[in-house]
Structures are given as structure tokens and as C-alpha cells.
Amino acid sequence: MNNEIFSRSLLVIGEDGLEKLQTKKVILFGVGGVGSWVAEALVRTGLKHLTIVDCDNVAASNINRQLMATTKTVGKIKVEAMRDHLLEINPEAEITAVNQIFTEVNTPDFHIGEYDAIIDCIDSLKDKAALILLACDTKAFFMSSMGAALKMDSMKIAVDEFWKVKGCPLARALRGKFKHNKTFPSRKFKCVYSPEVLQNRFRAELDSNSPIVKAQVNGSLVHITGIFGFTIAGKVLEALIG
């Protein structure tokens, strides 16, 4: 069946590309609005070995933008719902679901030096900064998502090197944190971002079943988070296939 599933992928990346892709190992931190679409694109294209990391449960408020979130999966562990979905696409894929939050304290748990690509779709500023520093010390391809919330215009989405990103509050906050701590990423890396910043139209309540403490809930739309995710996936595929 795999020959049929990936027949259209083969026409673009060839047999060598698909074989190479199926030997690579990728770890993805965060399977929410952006990360879920990254995982979807990678597995549909032919990636076989994927580890997904997240500590959240599916909430009703996720349904508007997160791939695994439906009325049937609300309340389920997010990485498990995502894994079940991905295995419906390719039952032969090896999807490792890690229901855990990434922090600077538990970094050894993830063995990220074993991966060919590391993807950051984390929301928390502190944890995101820790992952960036750690990932940049590896030889793996690394790409990070900046803030995808409060955007409407998909034409403003862009990719650039982290220190060249303009207009993104999250990138600005990360750079400020690195400068304050006098600890910097050891190499350059690409980010997907948008300089557009809209305002929340209404107050949104925090998800009651989420273990993640958020300072503010910001609105976000699936056409933006999806493009962020697909953009990252495209860059990862280019890096893995060569």
C-alpha cells in the first residue's frame, strides 16, 4: 500500500528522496495550531520516524485551528490523538507520542542529539528559549515557529534568519531574553513569522483542562497556523532530502 500512498510524492522527490526521507528521524515540540500541520505534512509526504512532544489535552477551543482537535477528541491527550490520526494515514509509520512538557530542567529526557531534524512549535517563552539553545548545539536541521496568533493576512507570512525577523513580538522577546541572560544560540537558524499584529476582539477564557499556564489567550486562525506549519514542513523536507 505504501507505493500507492506515496505515488504522488515519488513523482516529485523520486525513489531516492523517499527512501532517504523514510530513514530520517524528526522530533517536533508542540502539536498545536502550527505543530499539528507540520506533523501532517511530513507524514503524508513519507516521513516514517516522528516523535511528537506536548503535554496538553485537546480542548474545544482548539477545534478552530488544530488538526487533531474535533468534537470527538476533546479531552483526549493531544499527542495520542495526533498519533492515532497519523497512523490512519500511514499505519507503518513509527510515531512516538511523548505526553510531557519540555523545559530546561528535563532536556536530557529527549535525547535530541539522535535526530536529523528538530522543530520548535512551543508557546512558552522560557521553554522555547531553552529548546533553541539546545537545538543549536546539535548538528540537526533546526527550525522554529514564531508567533502565529493575531494574524489574518497570509501574504505577510515569511521565513528569515532569527536575528533578522522583524515585527514579531515573540522574536523580539526571545532576543531580549538571550541578551539579558548573555546566552546566545550557537548558530543561525530559520524561523517562520509574520509582522502582522492584530488585537483581540473579545476576551477569551483559559482552557480549563490545560496544564499550561498562559499569560494571555490570543486569537488565531487555521489558515495562518496551517501556512506556518506547512512552511516549516517544506523547509524540513528540503533539508532531509537534499
Side-chain angles (χ1 to χ4, degrees), residues 9 11 15 62 74-75 79-80 87 90 93 108 111 151 167-168 172 178 194-195 209 216 221 233 235 239-240:
S9 295
L11 292 173
E15 289 186 11
N62 300 153
V74 169
V79 289
E80 293 182 359
L87 289 176
N90 181 11
H111 306 285
K151 320 288 184 189
C168 175
R172 183 166 57 247
F178 291 140
S194 168
N209 65 340
Q216 181 179 348
L221 300 171
K235 293 297 182 182
L240 295 181

mmCIF file with all atom_site columns, all heavy atoms in Angstrom, residues 9 11 15 62 74-75 79-80 87 90 93 108 111 151 167-168 172 178 194-195 209 216 221 233 235 239-240:
data_model
loop_
_atom_site.group_PDB
_atom_site.id
_atom_site.type_symbol
_atom_site.label_atom_id
_atom_site.label_alt_id
_atom_site.label_comp_id
_atom_site.label_asym_id
_atom_site.label_entity_id
_atom_site.label_seq_id
_atom_site.pdbx_PDB_ins_code
_atom_site.Cartn_x
_atom_site.Cartn_y
_atom_site.Cartn_z
_atom_site.occupancy
_atom_site.B_iso_or_equiv
_atom_site.pdbx_formal_charge
_atom_site.auth_seq_id
_atom_site.auth_comp_id
_atom_site.auth_asym_id
_atom_site.auth_atom_id
_atom_site.pdbx_PDB_model_num
ATOM 1   N N   . SER A 1 9   ? 4.103   11.629 -4.154  1.00 0.00 ? 9   SER A N   1
ATOM 2   C CA  . SER A 1 9   ? 5.349   12.129 -3.567  1.00 0.00 ? 9   SER A CA  1
ATOM 3   C C   . SER A 1 9   ? 6.542   11.688 -4.415  1.00 0.00 ? 9   SER A C   1
ATOM 4   O O   . SER A 1 9   ? 7.477   12.460 -4.672  1.00 0.00 ? 9   SER A O   1
ATOM 5   C CB  . SER A 1 9   ? 5.528   11.614 -2.139  1.00 0.00 ? 9   SER A CB  1
ATOM 6   O OG  . SER A 1 9   ? 4.535   12.101 -1.275  1.00 0.00 ? 9   SER A OG  1
ATOM 7   N N   . LEU A 1 11  ? 6.737   11.179 -7.531  1.00 0.00 ? 11  LEU A N   1
ATOM 8   C CA  . LEU A 1 11  ? 6.857   11.939 -8.777  1.00 0.00 ? 11  LEU A CA  1
ATOM 9   C C   . LEU A 1 11  ? 7.604   13.258 -8.576  1.00 0.00 ? 11  LEU A C   1
ATOM 10  O O   . LEU A 1 11  ? 8.130   13.831 -9.536  1.00 0.00 ? 11  LEU A O   1
ATOM 11  C CB  . LEU A 1 11  ? 5.467   12.220 -9.355  1.00 0.00 ? 11  LEU A CB  1
ATOM 12  C CG  . LEU A 1 11  ? 4.699   11.001 -9.863  1.00 0.00 ? 11  LEU A CG  1
ATOM 13  C CD1 . LEU A 1 11  ? 3.277   11.384 -10.247 1.00 0.00 ? 11  LEU A CD1 1
ATOM 14  C CD2 . LEU A 1 11  ? 5.423   10.350 -11.041 1.00 0.00 ? 11  LEU A CD2 1
ATOM 15  N N   . GLU A 1 15  ? 12.503  8.099  -5.980  1.00 0.00 ? 15  GLU A N   1
ATOM 16  C CA  . GLU A 1 15  ? 12.684  6.959  -5.080  1.00 0.00 ? 15  GLU A CA  1
ATOM 17  C C   . GLU A 1 15  ? 13.787  7.215  -4.072  1.00 0.00 ? 15  GLU A C   1
ATOM 18  O O   . GLU A 1 15  ? 13.669  6.876  -2.891  1.00 0.00 ? 15  GLU A O   1
ATOM 19  C CB  . GLU A 1 15  ? 12.983  5.694  -5.888  1.00 0.00 ? 15  GLU A CB  1
ATOM 20  C CG  . GLU A 1 15  ? 11.791  5.166  -6.669  1.00 0.00 ? 15  GLU A CG  1
ATOM 21  C CD  . GLU A 1 15  ? 12.092  3.837  -7.339  1.00 0.00 ? 15  GLU A CD  1
ATOM 22  O OE1 . GLU A 1 15  ? 13.151  3.250  -7.018  1.00 0.00 ? 15  GLU A OE1 1
ATOM 23  O OE2 . GLU A 1 15  ? 11.281  3.393  -8.168  1.00 0.00 ? 15  GLU A OE2 1
ATOM 24  N N   . ASN A 1 62  ? -9.578  24.403 20.704  1.00 0.00 ? 62  ASN A N   1
ATOM 25  C CA  . ASN A 1 62  ? -8.552  24.019 19.723  1.00 0.00 ? 62  ASN A CA  1
ATOM 26  C C   . ASN A 1 62  ? -9.146  23.684 18.357  1.00 0.00 ? 62  ASN A C   1
ATOM 27  O O   . ASN A 1 62  ? -8.425  23.646 17.358  1.00 0.00 ? 62  ASN A O   1
ATOM 28  C CB  . ASN A 1 62  ? -7.788  22.779 20.204  1.00 0.00 ? 62  ASN A CB  1
ATOM 29  C CG  . ASN A 1 62  ? -7.060  22.960 21.518  1.00 0.00 ? 62  ASN A CG  1
ATOM 30  O OD1 . ASN A 1 62  ? -6.848  21.985 22.233  1.00 0.00 ? 62  ASN A OD1 1
ATOM 31  N ND2 . ASN A 1 62  ? -6.665  24.170 21.870  1.00 0.00 ? 62  ASN A ND2 1
ATOM 32  N N   . VAL A 1 74  ? -12.080 15.950 21.996  1.00 0.00 ? 74  VAL A N   1
ATOM 33  C CA  . VAL A 1 74  ? -11.974 16.868 23.126  1.00 0.00 ? 74  VAL A CA  1
ATOM 34  C C   . VAL A 1 74  ? -11.765 16.083 24.418  1.00 0.00 ? 74  VAL A C   1
ATOM 35  O O   . VAL A 1 74  ? -12.464 15.112 24.695  1.00 0.00 ? 74  VAL A O   1
ATOM 36  C CB  . VAL A 1 74  ? -13.238 17.749 23.237  1.00 0.00 ? 74  VAL A CB  1
ATOM 37  C CG1 . VAL A 1 74  ? -13.255 18.511 24.568  1.00 0.00 ? 74  VAL A CG1 1
ATOM 38  C CG2 . VAL A 1 74  ? -13.299 18.732 22.076  1.00 0.00 ? 74  VAL A CG2 1
ATOM 39  N N   . GLY A 1 75  ? -10.766 16.502 25.192  1.00 0.00 ? 75  GLY A N   1
ATOM 40  C CA  . GLY A 1 75  ? -10.441 15.842 26.451  1.00 0.00 ? 75  GLY A CA  1
ATOM 41  C C   . GLY A 1 75  ? -9.348  14.802 26.331  1.00 0.00 ? 75  GLY A C   1
ATOM 42  O O   . GLY A 1 75  ? -8.754  14.404 27.329  1.00 0.00 ? 75  GLY A O   1
ATOM 43  N N   . VAL A 1 79  ? -1.076  14.489 22.106  1.00 0.00 ? 79  VAL A N   1
ATOM 44  C CA  . VAL A 1 79  ? -0.129  13.721 21.284  1.00 0.00 ? 79  VAL A CA  1
ATOM 45  C C   . VAL A 1 79  ? -0.688  12.347 20.913  1.00 0.00 ? 79  VAL A C   1
ATOM 46  O O   . VAL A 1 79  ? -0.361  11.805 19.853  1.00 0.00 ? 79  VAL A O   1
ATOM 47  C CB  . VAL A 1 79  ? 1.236   13.571 21.985  1.00 0.00 ? 79  VAL A CB  1
ATOM 48  C CG1 . VAL A 1 79  ? 1.976   14.894 22.020  1.00 0.00 ? 79  VAL A CG1 1
ATOM 49  C CG2 . VAL A 1 79  ? 1.093   12.984 23.385  1.00 0.00 ? 79  VAL A CG2 1
ATOM 50  N N   . GLU A 1 80  ? -1.525  11.783 21.782  1.00 0.00 ? 80  GLU A N   1
ATOM 51  C CA  . GLU A 1 80  ? -2.117  10.482 21.465  1.00 0.00 ? 80  GLU A CA  1
ATOM 52  C C   . GLU A 1 80  ? -3.170  10.611 20.364  1.00 0.00 ? 80  GLU A C   1
ATOM 53  O O   . GLU A 1 80  ? -3.259  9.759  19.470  1.00 0.00 ? 80  GLU A O   1
ATOM 54  C CB  . GLU A 1 80  ? -2.708  9.855  22.729  1.00 0.00 ? 80  GLU A CB  1
ATOM 55  C CG  . GLU A 1 80  ? -1.644  9.482  23.751  1.00 0.00 ? 80  GLU A CG  1
ATOM 56  C CD  . GLU A 1 80  ? -2.213  8.807  24.982  1.00 0.00 ? 80  GLU A CD  1
ATOM 57  O OE1 . GLU A 1 80  ? -3.459  8.640  25.055  1.00 0.00 ? 80  GLU A OE1 1
ATOM 58  O OE2 . GLU A 1 80  ? -1.420  8.442  25.868  1.00 0.00 ? 80  GLU A OE2 1
ATOM 59  N N   . LEU A 1 87  ? -1.330  7.615  12.198  1.00 0.00 ? 87  LEU A N   1
ATOM 60  C CA  . LEU A 1 87  ? -1.271  6.185  11.871  1.00 0.00 ? 87  LEU A CA  1
ATOM 61  C C   . LEU A 1 87  ? -2.406  5.767  10.944  1.00 0.00 ? 87  LEU A C   1
ATOM 62  O O   . LEU A 1 87  ? -2.308  4.736  10.265  1.00 0.00 ? 87  LEU A O   1
ATOM 63  C CB  . LEU A 1 87  ? -1.291  5.350  13.154  1.00 0.00 ? 87  LEU A CB  1
ATOM 64  C CG  . LEU A 1 87  ? -0.008  5.433  13.994  1.00 0.00 ? 87  LEU A CG  1
ATOM 65  C CD1 . LEU A 1 87  ? -0.162  4.662  15.296  1.00 0.00 ? 87  LEU A CD1 1
ATOM 66  C CD2 . LEU A 1 87  ? 1.199   4.935  13.207  1.00 0.00 ? 87  LEU A CD2 1
ATOM 67  N N   . ASN A 1 90  ? -0.608  6.547  7.591   1.00 0.00 ? 90  ASN A N   1
ATOM 68  C CA  . ASN A 1 90  ? 0.380   5.518  7.278   1.00 0.00 ? 90  ASN A CA  1
ATOM 69  C C   . ASN A 1 90  ? 0.545   4.595  8.477   1.00 0.00 ? 90  ASN A C   1
ATOM 70  O O   . ASN A 1 90  ? 1.277   4.913  9.423   1.00 0.00 ? 90  ASN A O   1
ATOM 71  C CB  . ASN A 1 90  ? 1.727   6.141  6.915   1.00 0.00 ? 90  ASN A CB  1
ATOM 72  C CG  . ASN A 1 90  ? 2.760   5.084  6.557   1.00 0.00 ? 90  ASN A CG  1
ATOM 73  O OD1 . ASN A 1 90  ? 2.435   3.910  6.389   1.00 0.00 ? 90  ASN A OD1 1
ATOM 74  N ND2 . ASN A 1 90  ? 4.019   5.501  6.453   1.00 0.00 ? 90  ASN A ND2 1
ATOM 75  N N   . ALA A 1 93  ? 4.055   3.899  9.812   1.00 0.00 ? 93  ALA A N   1
ATOM 76  C CA  . ALA A 1 93  ? 4.882   4.953  10.396  1.00 0.00 ? 93  ALA A CA  1
ATOM 77  C C   . ALA A 1 93  ? 5.177   4.640  11.857  1.00 0.00 ? 93  ALA A C   1
ATOM 78  O O   . ALA A 1 93  ? 4.403   3.962  12.536  1.00 0.00 ? 93  ALA A O   1
ATOM 79  C CB  . ALA A 1 93  ? 4.173   6.298  10.276  1.00 0.00 ? 93  ALA A CB  1
ATOM 80  N N   . PRO A 1 108 ? 17.572  16.364 29.135  1.00 0.00 ? 108 PRO A N   1
ATOM 81  C CA  . PRO A 1 108 ? 18.184  15.057 28.836  1.00 0.00 ? 108 PRO A CA  1
ATOM 82  C C   . PRO A 1 108 ? 17.172  13.970 28.478  1.00 0.00 ? 108 PRO A C   1
ATOM 83  O O   . PRO A 1 108 ? 17.532  12.974 27.828  1.00 0.00 ? 108 PRO A O   1
ATOM 84  C CB  . PRO A 1 108 ? 18.916  14.704 30.139  1.00 0.00 ? 108 PRO A CB  1
ATOM 85  C CG  . PRO A 1 108 ? 19.151  16.019 30.821  1.00 0.00 ? 108 PRO A CG  1
ATOM 86  C CD  . PRO A 1 108 ? 17.942  16.841 30.484  1.00 0.00 ? 108 PRO A CD  1
ATOM 87  N N   . HIS A 1 111 ? 16.846  13.349 24.380  1.00 0.00 ? 111 HIS A N   1
ATOM 88  C CA  . HIS A 1 111 ? 17.923  12.809 23.536  1.00 0.00 ? 111 HIS A CA  1
ATOM 89  C C   . HIS A 1 111 ? 17.901  13.440 22.138  1.00 0.00 ? 111 HIS A C   1
ATOM 90  O O   . HIS A 1 111 ? 17.964  12.730 21.125  1.00 0.00 ? 111 HIS A O   1
ATOM 91  C CB  . HIS A 1 111 ? 17.792  11.288 23.424  1.00 0.00 ? 111 HIS A CB  1
ATOM 92  C CG  . HIS A 1 111 ? 17.719  10.583 24.745  1.00 0.00 ? 111 HIS A CG  1
ATOM 93  N ND1 . HIS A 1 111 ? 18.807  10.392 25.568  1.00 0.00 ? 111 HIS A ND1 1
ATOM 94  C CD2 . HIS A 1 111 ? 16.650  10.041 25.409  1.00 0.00 ? 111 HIS A CD2 1
ATOM 95  C CE1 . HIS A 1 111 ? 18.441  9.759  26.661  1.00 0.00 ? 111 HIS A CE1 1
ATOM 96  N NE2 . HIS A 1 111 ? 17.135  9.540  26.599  1.00 0.00 ? 111 HIS A NE2 1
ATOM 97  N N   . LYS A 1 151 ? -3.145  37.047 13.597  1.00 0.00 ? 151 LYS A N   1
ATOM 98  C CA  . LYS A 1 151 ? -2.803  37.295 12.189  1.00 0.00 ? 151 LYS A CA  1
ATOM 99  C C   . LYS A 1 151 ? -4.025  37.006 11.320  1.00 0.00 ? 151 LYS A C   1
ATOM 100 O O   . LYS A 1 151 ? -4.837  36.141 11.638  1.00 0.00 ? 151 LYS A O   1
ATOM 101 C CB  . LYS A 1 151 ? -1.664  36.378 11.722  1.00 0.00 ? 151 LYS A CB  1
ATOM 102 C CG  . LYS A 1 151 ? -0.535  36.143 12.712  1.00 0.00 ? 151 LYS A CG  1
ATOM 103 C CD  . LYS A 1 151 ? 0.349   37.330 12.913  1.00 0.00 ? 151 LYS A CD  1
ATOM 104 C CE  . LYS A 1 151 ? 1.499   36.966 13.849  1.00 0.00 ? 151 LYS A CE  1
ATOM 105 N NZ  . LYS A 1 151 ? 2.282   38.150 14.256  1.00 0.00 ? 151 LYS A NZ  1
ATOM 106 N N   . GLY A 1 167 ? 9.221   42.732 13.369  1.00 0.00 ? 167 GLY A N   1
ATOM 107 C CA  . GLY A 1 167 ? 7.803   42.959 13.631  1.00 0.00 ? 167 GLY A CA  1
ATOM 108 C C   . GLY A 1 167 ? 7.115   41.894 14.439  1.00 0.00 ? 167 GLY A C   1
ATOM 109 O O   . GLY A 1 167 ? 5.917   41.993 14.698  1.00 0.00 ? 167 GLY A O   1
ATOM 110 N N   . CYS A 1 168 ? 7.832   40.839 14.856  1.00 0.00 ? 168 CYS A N   1
ATOM 111 C CA  . CYS A 1 168 ? 7.227   39.742 15.616  1.00 0.00 ? 168 CYS A CA  1
ATOM 112 C C   . CYS A 1 168 ? 7.521   39.929 17.107  1.00 0.00 ? 168 CYS A C   1
ATOM 113 O O   . CYS A 1 168 ? 8.688   39.878 17.519  1.00 0.00 ? 168 CYS A O   1
ATOM 114 C CB  . CYS A 1 168 ? 7.768   38.400 15.142  1.00 0.00 ? 168 CYS A CB  1
ATOM 115 S SG  . CYS A 1 168 ? 7.185   37.000 16.140  1.00 0.00 ? 168 CYS A SG  1
ATOM 116 N N   . ARG A 1 172 ? 11.098  39.236 19.224  1.00 0.00 ? 172 ARG A N   1
ATOM 117 C CA  . ARG A 1 172 ? 11.691  40.342 19.976  1.00 0.00 ? 172 ARG A CA  1
ATOM 118 C C   . ARG A 1 172 ? 11.904  39.955 21.442  1.00 0.00 ? 172 ARG A C   1
ATOM 119 O O   . ARG A 1 172 ? 12.948  40.239 22.030  1.00 0.00 ? 172 ARG A O   1
ATOM 120 C CB  . ARG A 1 172 ? 10.798  41.580 19.878  1.00 0.00 ? 172 ARG A CB  1
ATOM 121 C CG  . ARG A 1 172 ? 11.373  42.799 20.562  1.00 0.00 ? 172 ARG A CG  1
ATOM 122 C CD  . ARG A 1 172 ? 10.638  44.068 20.148  1.00 0.00 ? 172 ARG A CD  1
ATOM 123 N NE  . ARG A 1 172 ? 9.202   43.993 20.416  1.00 0.00 ? 172 ARG A NE  1
ATOM 124 C CZ  . ARG A 1 172 ? 8.267   43.954 19.474  1.00 0.00 ? 172 ARG A CZ  1
ATOM 125 N NH1 . ARG A 1 172 ? 8.615   43.990 18.192  1.00 0.00 ? 172 ARG A NH1 1
ATOM 126 N NH2 . ARG A 1 172 ? 6.986   43.911 19.793  1.00 0.00 ? 172 ARG A NH2 1
ATOM 127 N N   . PHE A 1 178 ? 17.683  36.386 25.446  1.00 0.00 ? 178 PHE A N   1
ATOM 128 C CA  . PHE A 1 178 ? 19.048  35.929 25.194  1.00 0.00 ? 178 PHE A CA  1
ATOM 129 C C   . PHE A 1 178 ? 20.057  37.016 25.582  1.00 0.00 ? 178 PHE A C   1
ATOM 130 O O   . PHE A 1 178 ? 21.094  36.726 26.199  1.00 0.00 ? 178 PHE A O   1
ATOM 131 C CB  . PHE A 1 178 ? 19.230  35.561 23.718  1.00 0.00 ? 178 PHE A CB  1
ATOM 132 C CG  . PHE A 1 178 ? 18.480  34.327 23.297  1.00 0.00 ? 178 PHE A CG  1
ATOM 133 C CD1 . PHE A 1 178 ? 17.836  34.262 22.066  1.00 0.00 ? 178 PHE A CD1 1
ATOM 134 C CD2 . PHE A 1 178 ? 18.413  33.214 24.127  1.00 0.00 ? 178 PHE A CD2 1
ATOM 135 C CE1 . PHE A 1 178 ? 17.158  33.129 21.672  1.00 0.00 ? 178 PHE A CE1 1
ATOM 136 C CE2 . PHE A 1 178 ? 17.730  32.070 23.746  1.00 0.00 ? 178 PHE A CE2 1
ATOM 137 C CZ  . PHE A 1 178 ? 17.096  32.026 22.512  1.00 0.00 ? 178 PHE A CZ  1
ATOM 138 N N   . SER A 1 194 ? 5.310   36.289 10.989  1.00 0.00 ? 194 SER A N   1
ATOM 139 C CA  . SER A 1 194 ? 4.562   37.340 10.308  1.00 0.00 ? 194 SER A CA  1
ATOM 140 C C   . SER A 1 194 ? 4.655   38.601 11.155  1.00 0.00 ? 194 SER A C   1
ATOM 141 O O   . SER A 1 194 ? 4.497   38.550 12.376  1.00 0.00 ? 194 SER A O   1
ATOM 142 C CB  . SER A 1 194 ? 3.091   36.954 10.130  1.00 0.00 ? 194 SER A CB  1
ATOM 143 O OG  . SER A 1 194 ? 2.325   38.092 9.726   1.00 0.00 ? 194 SER A OG  1
ATOM 144 N N   . PRO A 1 195 ? 4.898   39.757 10.524  1.00 0.00 ? 195 PRO A N   1
ATOM 145 C CA  . PRO A 1 195 ? 4.985   41.015 11.269  1.00 0.00 ? 195 PRO A CA  1
ATOM 146 C C   . PRO A 1 195 ? 3.616   41.591 11.639  1.00 0.00 ? 195 PRO A C   1
ATOM 147 O O   . PRO A 1 195 ? 3.529   42.571 12.376  1.00 0.00 ? 195 PRO A O   1
ATOM 148 C CB  . PRO A 1 195 ? 5.731   41.942 10.305  1.00 0.00 ? 195 PRO A CB  1
ATOM 149 C CG  . PRO A 1 195 ? 5.336   41.431 8.945   1.00 0.00 ? 195 PRO A CG  1
ATOM 150 C CD  . PRO A 1 195 ? 5.230   39.939 9.095   1.00 0.00 ? 195 PRO A CD  1
ATOM 151 N N   . ASN A 1 209 ? -8.917  22.686 31.030  1.00 0.00 ? 209 ASN A N   1
ATOM 152 C CA  . ASN A 1 209 ? -8.262  21.371 31.122  1.00 0.00 ? 209 ASN A CA  1
ATOM 153 C C   . ASN A 1 209 ? -6.817  21.397 30.640  1.00 0.00 ? 209 ASN A C   1
ATOM 154 O O   . ASN A 1 209 ? -6.214  20.372 30.400  1.00 0.00 ? 209 ASN A O   1
ATOM 155 C CB  . ASN A 1 209 ? -9.047  20.324 30.321  1.00 0.00 ? 209 ASN A CB  1
ATOM 156 C CG  . ASN A 1 209 ? -9.031  20.627 28.834  1.00 0.00 ? 209 ASN A CG  1
ATOM 157 O OD1 . ASN A 1 209 ? -8.769  21.758 28.437  1.00 0.00 ? 209 ASN A OD1 1
ATOM 158 N ND2 . ASN A 1 209 ? -9.311  19.627 28.016  1.00 0.00 ? 209 ASN A ND2 1
ATOM 159 N N   . GLN A 1 216 ? -1.766  35.098 28.564  1.00 0.00 ? 216 GLN A N   1
ATOM 160 C CA  . GLN A 1 216 ? -2.872  35.683 27.820  1.00 0.00 ? 216 GLN A CA  1
ATOM 161 C C   . GLN A 1 216 ? -3.300  34.713 26.730  1.00 0.00 ? 216 GLN A C   1
ATOM 162 O O   . GLN A 1 216 ? -2.474  34.019 26.155  1.00 0.00 ? 216 GLN A O   1
ATOM 163 C CB  . GLN A 1 216 ? -2.446  37.020 27.200  1.00 0.00 ? 216 GLN A CB  1
ATOM 164 C CG  . GLN A 1 216 ? -3.548  37.709 26.414  1.00 0.00 ? 216 GLN A CG  1
ATOM 165 C CD  . GLN A 1 216 ? -3.080  39.038 25.835  1.00 0.00 ? 216 GLN A CD  1
ATOM 166 O OE1 . GLN A 1 216 ? -2.030  39.535 26.186  1.00 0.00 ? 216 GLN A OE1 1
ATOM 167 N NE2 . GLN A 1 216 ? -3.856  39.594 24.932  1.00 0.00 ? 216 GLN A NE2 1
ATOM 168 N N   . LEU A 1 221 ? -6.144  31.798 13.753  1.00 0.00 ? 221 LEU A N   1
ATOM 169 C CA  . LEU A 1 221 ? -6.967  31.251 12.677  1.00 0.00 ? 221 LEU A CA  1
ATOM 170 C C   . LEU A 1 221 ? -6.215  30.164 11.917  1.00 0.00 ? 221 LEU A C   1
ATOM 171 O O   . LEU A 1 221 ? -5.000  30.239 11.721  1.00 0.00 ? 221 LEU A O   1
ATOM 172 C CB  . LEU A 1 221 ? -7.384  32.370 11.720  1.00 0.00 ? 221 LEU A CB  1
ATOM 173 C CG  . LEU A 1 221 ? -8.208  33.506 12.347  1.00 0.00 ? 221 LEU A CG  1
ATOM 174 C CD1 . LEU A 1 221 ? -8.372  34.640 11.358  1.00 0.00 ? 221 LEU A CD1 1
ATOM 175 C CD2 . LEU A 1 221 ? -9.569  33.000 12.816  1.00 0.00 ? 221 LEU A CD2 1
ATOM 176 N N   . ALA A 1 233 ? 7.295   22.490 7.423   1.00 0.00 ? 233 ALA A N   1
ATOM 177 C CA  . ALA A 1 233 ? 7.419   21.154 6.856   1.00 0.00 ? 233 ALA A CA  1
ATOM 178 C C   . ALA A 1 233 ? 8.182   21.177 5.537   1.00 0.00 ? 233 ALA A C   1
ATOM 179 O O   . ALA A 1 233 ? 9.025   20.306 5.279   1.00 0.00 ? 233 ALA A O   1
ATOM 180 C CB  . ALA A 1 233 ? 6.026   20.549 6.653   1.00 0.00 ? 233 ALA A CB  1
ATOM 181 N N   . LYS A 1 235 ? 10.488  23.283 4.549   1.00 0.00 ? 235 LYS A N   1
ATOM 182 C CA  . LYS A 1 235 ? 11.897  23.513 4.802   1.00 0.00 ? 235 LYS A CA  1
ATOM 183 C C   . LYS A 1 235 ? 12.579  22.269 5.377   1.00 0.00 ? 235 LYS A C   1
ATOM 184 O O   . LYS A 1 235 ? 13.739  21.968 5.058   1.00 0.00 ? 235 LYS A O   1
ATOM 185 C CB  . LYS A 1 235 ? 12.092  24.711 5.734   1.00 0.00 ? 235 LYS A CB  1
ATOM 186 C CG  . LYS A 1 235 ? 11.682  26.043 5.132   1.00 0.00 ? 235 LYS A CG  1
ATOM 187 C CD  . LYS A 1 235 ? 12.538  26.381 3.914   1.00 0.00 ? 235 LYS A CD  1
ATOM 188 C CE  . LYS A 1 235 ? 12.176  27.729 3.322   1.00 0.00 ? 235 LYS A CE  1
ATOM 189 N NZ  . LYS A 1 235 ? 12.977  28.034 2.109   1.00 0.00 ? 235 LYS A NZ  1
ATOM 190 N N   . ALA A 1 239 ? 15.605  20.022 3.672   1.00 0.00 ? 239 ALA A N   1
ATOM 191 C CA  . ALA A 1 239 ? 16.858  19.729 4.392   1.00 0.00 ? 239 ALA A CA  1
ATOM 192 C C   . ALA A 1 239 ? 17.120  18.231 4.474   1.00 0.00 ? 239 ALA A C   1
ATOM 193 O O   . ALA A 1 239 ? 18.265  17.780 4.335   1.00 0.00 ? 239 ALA A O   1
ATOM 194 C CB  . ALA A 1 239 ? 16.777  20.328 5.800   1.00 0.00 ? 239 ALA A CB  1
ATOM 195 N N   . LEU A 1 240 ? 16.079  17.427 4.675   1.00 0.00 ? 240 LEU A N   1
ATOM 196 C CA  . LEU A 1 240 ? 16.256  15.995 4.848   1.00 0.00 ? 240 LEU A CA  1
ATOM 197 C C   . LEU A 1 240 ? 16.527  15.268 3.535   1.00 0.00 ? 240 LEU A C   1
ATOM 198 O O   . LEU A 1 240 ? 17.295  14.311 3.489   1.00 0.00 ? 240 LEU A O   1
ATOM 199 C CB  . LEU A 1 240 ? 15.024  15.383 5.530   1.00 0.00 ? 240 LEU A CB  1
ATOM 200 C CG  . LEU A 1 240 ? 14.742  15.833 6.971   1.00 0.00 ? 240 LEU A CG  1
ATOM 201 C CD1 . LEU A 1 240 ? 13.521  15.122 7.513   1.00 0.00 ? 240 LEU A CD1 1
ATOM 202 C CD2 . LEU A 1 240 ? 15.950  15.598 7.871   1.00 0.00 ? 240 LEU A CD2 1
#
